[in-house]
Amino acid sequence: MAEYRINDLAQESGVSVRNIRVYQDRGLLPPPIIRGRTGWYSDEHLVRLNLISRMLERGYTFATISELLQAAHHGMKVEHVLRASPKGGRFRNFKRAATITITELRKTLNASDRSIALSQKLGLLAKDGAHYAIRNPEVLEGAETLVKAGIDIDVLLDRWVRVQGDLEDVAKSFVSIITDKYFDENLPDLGEQGVSKMAELIGTVRPMAHEIVETTFRKALDQQISQAIGEASTYFDAALAASDAEHAGVAGDSDVTSQNGTTGGGPIVDQPKVFDNDVDTDTPTRAEHLD
């Protein structure tokens, strides 16, 4: 794969160095790979630049181009872009300026040197002089919400690293659908028609893989959320049961107290009861003695 310095890329694509930087600032062009102090661009950047140039010639705005490129990257269709409701947010506003200061990162995200470096490695941020270019404002906004809730941003970034590794294996498995079929000693003999067919199949696999992964992940995420809610309910049930047991104990003590006749200052002594049948009729009354 060919590699280009920015001046070489500008000459090859016919796009000025200044415009290349503008496209990067607006999120239309991925950042280069930095080795040493030099940024290296690939054929992917060249293809993206040619596409941007053709879209600009047809009158598309930067915002529209950005949406369409994002949609294509994620295997979405035009209707997905059109039906998505526009969202606004503080970090999305930063996207217009394309950069954020390190002071803002530390203030809003409690970002450490490690988290900033990891954010660059993951493509969330990109160093741009004394500032950082925002590559994914949606994730940055979500990270700020987590931090406000008391969750360390490193927790999110470490999960991202883990998912990235897992998804690389997933992506490899989908690509192997084609490579296992065509990549052997007969590949050079495919001819132009065979190569075109292979490229078409790869184009078919990409959106299909996106759909499968997205659908499967959505289902798995919903299941995990349901399980978490179920687990949370057990804590509430345990607390309610403990509260009921406590109230039942208090009520039991009251019943025992009532049965023992406890009231006021002390116990009530039962007085013996006299019934008519217990009266000795043979004992003379006072009147009988007087007679």
Side-chain angles (χ1 to χ4, degrees):
M1 179 181 292
E3 290 186 318
Y4 312 89
R5 293 184 175 88
I6 191 168
N7 290 328
D8 299 330
L9 182 66
Q11 183 176 359
E12 190 73 22
S13 64
V15 178
S16 67
V17 170
R18 178 181 178 278
N19 282 343
I20 290 176
R21 297 192 188 279
V22 169
Y23 298 163
Q24 286 182 204
D25 288 343
R26 292 182 176 271
L28 303 179
L29 191 69
I33 296 175
I34 305 299
R35 290 202 296 269
R37 301 182 62 181
T38 304
W40 292 94
Y41 298 84
S42 66
D43 287 333
E44 181 181 348
H45 292 91
L46 181 59
V47 171
R48 177 69 68 92
L49 277 175
N50 290 334
L51 178 59
I52 293 171
S53 297
R54 291 198 299 271
M55 296 179 77
L56 287 172
E57 289 173 359
R58 296 189 179 189
Y60 290 99
T61 64
F62 282 139
T64 302
I65 293 173
S66 178
E67 281 191 301
L68 292 175
L69 289 176
Q70 285 292 325
H73 177 73
H74 293 289
M76 297 169 63
K77 299 178 181 179
V78 175
E79 55 264 30
H80 294 152
V81 179
L82 295 178
R83 75 179 179 217
S85 56
K87 299 179 180 179
R90 195 163 63 82
F91 283 110
R92 289 183 180 86
N93 293 334
F94 274 120
K95 192 172 183 179
R96 298 178 182 176
T99 58
I100 184 173
T101 66
I102 189 170
T103 302
E104 184 73 11
L105 284 171
R106 297 195 188 281
K107 178 181 178 181
T108 59
L109 298 174
N110 295 330
S112 62
D113 290 340
R114 175 188 181 274
S115 56
I116 292 175
L118 190 53
S119 296
Q120 294 179 78
K121 182 178 180 180
L122 293 169
L124 180 60
L125 300 172
K127 194 75 171 69
D128 186 7
H131 300 78
Y132 290 89
I134 299 173
R135 297 306 180 197
N136 197 324
E138 290 82 4
V139 171
L140 214 56
E141 285 181 16
E144 184 187 19
T145 301
L146 294 179
V147 170
K148 286 182 177 179
I151 300 174
D152 197 318
I153 188 175
D154 285 344
V155 173
L156 171 66
L157 296 177
D158 289 340
R159 296 294 192 282
W160 190 343
V161 171
R162 178 180 173 183
V163 168
Q164 180 173 270
D166 292 340
L167 287 180
E168 285 176 356
D169 291 337
V170 172
K172 183 177 180 180
S173 69
F174 277 106
V175 173
S176 68
I177 294 175
I178 306 302
T179 58
D180 288 351
K181 171 71 175 177
Y182 290 97
F183 282 24
D184 56 26
E185 64 277 3
N186 297 318
L187 181 60
D189 300 328
L190 280 180
E192 183 176 348
Q193 185 176 358
V195 172
S196 297
K197 180 181 179 181
M198 185 175 64
E200 182 181 346
L201 290 174
I202 292 175
T204 300
V205 166
R206 180 166 185 160
M208 180 183 65
H210 273 289
E211 183 66 25
I212 292 173
V213 171
E214 182 180 356
T215 302
T216 305
F217 177 70
R218 187 189 302 115
K219 181 179 179 181
L221 188 60
D222 289 343
Q223 289 176 342
Q224 291 300 316
I225 291 173
S226 297
Q227 290 181 15
I229 293 173
E231 182 180 353
S233 67
T234 61
Y235 291 99
F236 287 102
D237 292 342
L240 182 60
S243 178
D244 290 344
E246 182 179 354
H247 284 90
V250 172
D253 291 342
S254 299
D255 292 341
V256 171
T257 301
S258 299
Q259 291 173 5
N260 290 334
T262 304
T263 181
I268 299 175
V269 178
D270 292 339
Q271 301 296 327
K273 297 180 181 179
V274 178
F275 299 95
D276 292 340
N277 294 335
D278 294 334
V279 178
D280 187 358
T281 55
D282 294 331
T283 302
T285 65
R286 186 171 184 270
E288 291 174 335
H289 281 293
L290 291 177
D291 289 340

